[in-house]
Each structure stands twice: as structure tokens, then as C-alpha cells.
Amino acid sequence: PIPCVPWQSQTSGQHQRRVHGGTLKLTLTGHISDVRGLCVSKRYPLLFSVGSDKTVKCWDLEQNKVIRSYRGHLSEVYCCALHPSLGVLFTGGRDSTCRVWDIRTKASIHVLAGHKNTVASVVSQAVTPQDVR
């Protein structure tokens, strides 16, 4: 598992959090604003990040670079979750939607609208459409 450390804004604009017992292994640069959430694929060497810049980025962890950007949210994106066996990513944001993405084609395959406020958390379970009755 990869530990995730939340960043907190200070009045000076600095973002910092002390982590004890760890060593920085890698810094990935690509978002133009705060990163709000991360999720790591268990099937592929991919990391997904979401941010205040309204984008979702897919990072190749072997090449350490962005290989795909997903656009569609109208405001900040706060959370993400990968389906454990399908190539589907779920993102939620301040625009009160949860979007479902095909990670290979970057297509937004469904928008779950109707929330009255920010979607701050999403979770995906290992259920395929054939399991639902």
C-alpha cells in the first residue's frame, strides 16, 4: 500500500505536512493547482490524481510521467476510486457530480448528477454488471 498524506493550506500559502519514518522517493509534477485525491491501480503501474485545476491525470509509474488527462468536471475534483477489475475510474467534485471514466479511452461514460453539494468521497466495489440482479 502507498500511504497518502493530506496537505493543509497555511495562511502563507505554504503546503506542508511532516511525515515521520519515510523517505521521499519521487515527486510528480503536472497539476497547476492543489492535488485533492489519489488512487493507485492494483492491475497496472498507474496512479490517478485529481485536483483543484478541474482535471484528472493518469500517471505511468514506470515512466514517471502523465500519460492521460481527463477533462469534464466543471469545478475542483476532490476524490477518485478505481474499479478493482474493470478499467473504470470514478471521480467526484465540487460540481456536484460523480463521473465514470473509461481509463483507456479517456471517455466520460456516465455522469451521476443530482447531488445538491460537493461529491467528496467515492468508493468502488468488485461487482460486475452480471452480478447485479
Side-chain angles (χ1 to χ4, degrees):
I2 295 177
C4 191
V5 179
W7 296 87
Q8 294 183 344
S9 290
Q10 309 294 324
T11 54
S12 65
Q14 297 290 325
H15 300 276
Q16 65 184 63
R17 174 67 87 175
R18 290 184 184 227
V19 179
H20 299 284
T23 303
L24 178 66
K25 300 287 185 189
L26 177 67
T27 299
L28 300 170
T29 305
H31 285 277
I32 60 171
S33 194
D34 297 338
V35 171
R36 299 292 190 154
L38 301 169
C39 57
V40 179
S41 172
K42 293 180 181 179
R43 297 174 59 199
Y44 308 106
L46 301 176
L47 172 118
F48 292 85
S49 60
V50 298
S52 295
D53 58 4
K54 307 178 195 175
T55 66
V56 179
K57 299 206 180 282
C58 176
W59 303 83
D60 182 317
L61 294 176
E62 291 176 341
Q63 299 178 38
N64 298 329
K65 67 178 188 177
V66 174
I67 58 170
R68 295 180 198 102
S69 290
Y70 306 77
R71 289 178 172 74
H73 279 281
L74 303 177
S75 193
E76 294 97 335
V77 189
Y78 286 113
C79 55
C80 58
L82 280 163
H83 188 279
S85 59
L86 302 175
V88 175
L89 174 71
F90 301 89
T91 59
R94 190 171 176 212
D95 61 2
S96 304
T97 66
C98 175
R99 289 186 176 265
V100 184
W101 307 88
D102 180 316
I103 65 170
R104 290 176 287 282
T105 66
K106 300 189 302 185
S108 177
I109 55 178
H110 198 67
V111 178
L112 303 169
H115 296 275
K116 295 186 191 235
N117 262 312
T118 298
V119 176
S121 178
V122 292
V123 176
S124 178
Q125 296 182 358
V127 176
T128 59
Q130 295 81 8
D131 294 336
V132 179
R133 295 177 200 252

